[in-house]
Amino acid sequence: MSTQTARTQYEATDPMPEEYRDLLIRLLRIQADTETYLLFPKGWAQYAHIANLAPTLEDRVKVAQYLAEETRHGLIAYKLLRDLGVEVTEQEFEGEHRNLYVFDKWLESWTEFGLFNFLADRVGRFQAEEWIDSSYLPLARVAPAIVRDETGHGNAGFYNLRRICKTPEGRADVQRLLPQWYATALDMFGRSDSRRSVRYVELGLKRRTNGEARQAFVREVEPLIRELGLDVPDVTSLRKYL
Ligand SMILES: [Fe+2]
Ligand SMILES: [Fe+2]
């Protein structure tokens, strides 16, 4: 019962067109870039540092929960690649091999972790939402659980920032750090003029192009930034690419 709009769907072991496979592996490598960080020692060192900055014991437990969820995402991303015959190595998490620069920055403070959760984990949710009805069925299957976890991380970031913003010093600190983190989060969506991002949509690997997803993110996050009593940075400032 095929229709004109029905797309071809694939399992890992199905033969697939070369272009489809190349784009799929590229997409999964970018996912691995954000998610398999915690499968390697450098990622753990960063989050051991964060756990030790947690202001309360309850916050420390929440960091542990966060780590459990993100490490599981790492394993999922790793397995998705391995099932296609691609291995992820620790070297991919260094400098020029990285697709995203978001993890290059060492998180210094609890405030910075809050911004990271609020913005970068929220982008993680937007990315996973792209795959809910992906033509690559293994990706479609893992999407809902990742969306659920990343929704929790983004919300936790918002609540932590709200607590920090209750004092004038805290709010000033968030405002000072916000422009760079906002730009980094917006850059995570990739270039708006990417021809490849259009092909992802045409092949059913994603729902939206880079630019469309980024605009939806801006619409969601700007009112939240204002709710925190902060000034919204210009969407074009400090961006590495548009
Ligand atoms: Fe994640
Ligand atoms: Fe995340």
Side-chain angles (χ1 to χ4, degrees):
M1 42 159 263
S2 76
T3 66
Q4 277 184 312
T5 53
R7 288 200 193 97
T8 311
Q9 297 178 318
Y10 300 97
E11 294 287 356
T13 50
D14 289 338
M16 49 186 88
E18 200 181 329
E19 183 206 11
Y20 186 92
R21 189 185 153 82
D22 288 350
L23 284 173
L24 173 62
I25 289 173
R26 195 185 158 84
L27 182 156
L28 291 174
R29 276 191 182 284
I30 292 170
Q31 172 64 1
D33 223 14
T34 67
E35 300 278 35
T36 58
Y37 189 58
L38 285 166
L39 297 186
F40 302 109
K42 192 176 155 200
W44 275 104
Q46 165 75 91
Y47 285 99
H49 172 68
I50 292 298
N52 289 332
L53 293 171
T56 68
L57 293 176
E58 286 79 3
D59 290 321
R60 197 175 171 84
V61 172
K62 283 180 196 150
V63 173
Q65 171 80 25
Y66 176 86
L67 288 173
E69 289 172 0
E70 291 296 357
T71 308
R72 196 169 58 83
H73 298 175
L75 189 61
I76 289 168
Y78 183 84
K79 282 182 173 167
L80 283 166
L81 278 162
R82 197 178 54 186
D83 289 349
L84 288 164
V86 181
E87 295 285 331
V88 177
T89 66
E90 191 169 358
Q91 285 69 47
E92 289 179 47
F93 298 89
E94 309 282 344
E96 81 228 55
H97 301 290
R98 305 208 62 151
N99 291 295
L100 299 167
Y101 68 89
V102 58
F103 291 98
D104 292 349
K105 170 85 179 75
W106 180 266
L107 304 173
E108 302 284 353
S109 63
W110 184 248
T111 300
E112 207 164 19
F113 182 56
L115 279 162
F116 182 88
N117 291 156
F118 174 56
L119 295 168
D121 285 300
R122 189 176 303 270
V123 177
R125 189 196 96 216
F126 272 75
Q127 286 170 338
E129 281 174 348
E130 295 297 314
W131 311 324
I132 283 171
D133 44 15
S134 176
S135 58
Y136 187 59
L137 296 170
L139 201 48
R141 269 181 222 118
V142 300
I146 299 178
V147 169
R148 183 197 59 214
D149 292 347
E150 301 294 1
T151 300
H153 303 168
N155 290 344
F158 180 73
Y159 292 121
N160 284 338
L161 291 178
R162 197 157 65 180
R163 200 164 46 167
I164 294 164
C165 285
K166 284 203 169 114
T167 67
E169 307 78 55
R171 191 165 68 238
D173 198 29
V174 177
Q175 185 71 64
R176 178 179 63 81
L177 293 163
L178 177 64
Q180 186 57 64
W181 279 107
Y182 192 45
T184 301
L186 293 171
D187 277 345
M188 286 174 77
F189 287 96
R191 293 174 197 279
S192 292
D193 64 359
S194 161
R195 170 77 196 124
R196 200 182 290 123
S197 102
V198 176
R199 273 311 271 160
Y200 280 129
V201 176
E202 288 168 354
L203 293 168
L205 281 164
K206 287 188 179 186
R207 292 170 154 181
R208 298 176 286 202
T209 62
N210 294 347
E212 288 165 350
R214 179 166 29 236
Q215 276 171 25
F217 175 85
V218 168
R219 279 196 299 275
E220 176 176 303
V221 90
E222 288 198 350
L224 295 172
I225 293 172
R226 284 194 205 94
E227 208 179 313
L228 292 169
L230 303 164
D231 298 327
V232 180
D234 188 282
V235 285
T236 58
S237 80
L238 302 172
R239 296 278 300 281
K240 290 208 175 171
Y241 41 84
L242 295 172

